[in-house]
Amino acid sequence: MFSGFHHVKLPVSAVARSRDWYTGVLGFTTDVEFVEDGMLMGVGLAHAGMAGGLALRHNPDRAKALSGFDAVALLVPSREEVHAWKARLDEAG
């Protein structure tokens, strides 16, 4: 038996750049960094109010394979907040 998800892991082509986007735009915080042979290979992220975390792992081939696929859908509580997020994401590019 289980009670939920601990985290979701996504492949990315650039860990630091992806981490900066999730922290700077979506407000996640970095919990842990995984450095292998001197290279940042992954990060664990958390967000206030979310039970599970998000992990980003360096894997350019898998990231490319997922390009254009919506692997995660964020929950926004109201239509007004959807419009506010759209504006924020547009501003962030």
Side-chain angles (χ1 to χ4, degrees):
M1 186 168 165
F2 63 92
S3 60
F5 291 99
H6 181 268
H7 68 274
V8 172
K9 185 187 299 183
L10 299 175
V12 297
S13 57
V15 176
R17 186 179 72 212
S18 298
R19 176 206 54 215
D20 293 349
W21 189 86
Y22 278 94
T23 59
V25 177
L26 296 182
F28 281 81
T29 58
T30 302
D31 271 352
V32 64
E33 294 185 340
F34 299 96
V35 177
E36 299 169 11
D37 297 324
M39 185 174 166
L40 181 63
M41 296 299 289
V43 293
L45 305 174
H47 197 285
M50 287 179 59
L54 177 64
L56 307 175
R57 179 73 179 167
H58 180 75
N59 193 321
D61 292 337
R62 287 195 173 130
K64 185 176 180 180
L66 281 177
S67 179
F69 181 77
D70 298 333
V72 176
L74 302 174
L75 178 62
V76 180
S78 70
R79 183 167 297 281
E80 292 79 21
E81 290 188 53
V82 168
H83 293 296
W85 270 108
K86 181 187 181 312
R88 183 175 179 172
L89 292 171
D90 286 346
E91 183 179 301

